[in-house]
Amino acid sequence: MFWTLELASYLEDAPWPATKDELIDYSIRSGAPIEVVENLQELEDEGDVYETIEDIWPDYPTQEDFLFNEDEY
């Protein structure tokens, strides 16, 4: 499983929380690249409900990871 910011961006508007099957269905319906579907299919299916993209990709960068001060702009 290989995630990039571009691939993960296709799941930003997903209906969170969601199961693996719901995320796969969403990515297919939204026209996400096949790599997104393949990555989701590689997840272990234990009936888990994923709350955010961070549950799928723990290293997903958040606003805090970027080095800019919003107050300056």
Side-chain angles (χ1 to χ4, degrees):
M1 183 165 38
F2 181 74
W3 287 101
T4 64
L5 285 175
E6 181 182 358
L7 293 177
S9 71
Y10 288 96
L11 296 177
E12 285 180 353
D13 294 329
W16 302 103
T19 64
K20 173 184 170 180
D21 291 335
E22 290 170 337
L23 290 172
I24 291 171
D25 182 56
Y26 171 80
S27 63
I28 291 170
R29 287 185 295 113
S30 65
I34 191 67
E35 291 87 353
V36 174
V37 177
E38 290 172 350
N39 283 346
L40 292 170
Q41 289 173 338
E42 289 182 27
L43 293 173
E44 294 180 18
D45 192 8
E46 299 174 358
D48 294 336
V49 174
Y50 300 98
E51 298 292 328
T52 64
I53 186 69
E54 287 90 3
D55 292 344
I56 295 171
W57 184 25
D59 294 331
Y60 182 75
T62 62
Q63 285 289 81
E64 298 168 359
D65 294 327
F66 296 102
L67 301 174
F68 68 90
N69 186 352
E70 290 181 2
D71 296 333
E72 293 179 4
Y73 297 98

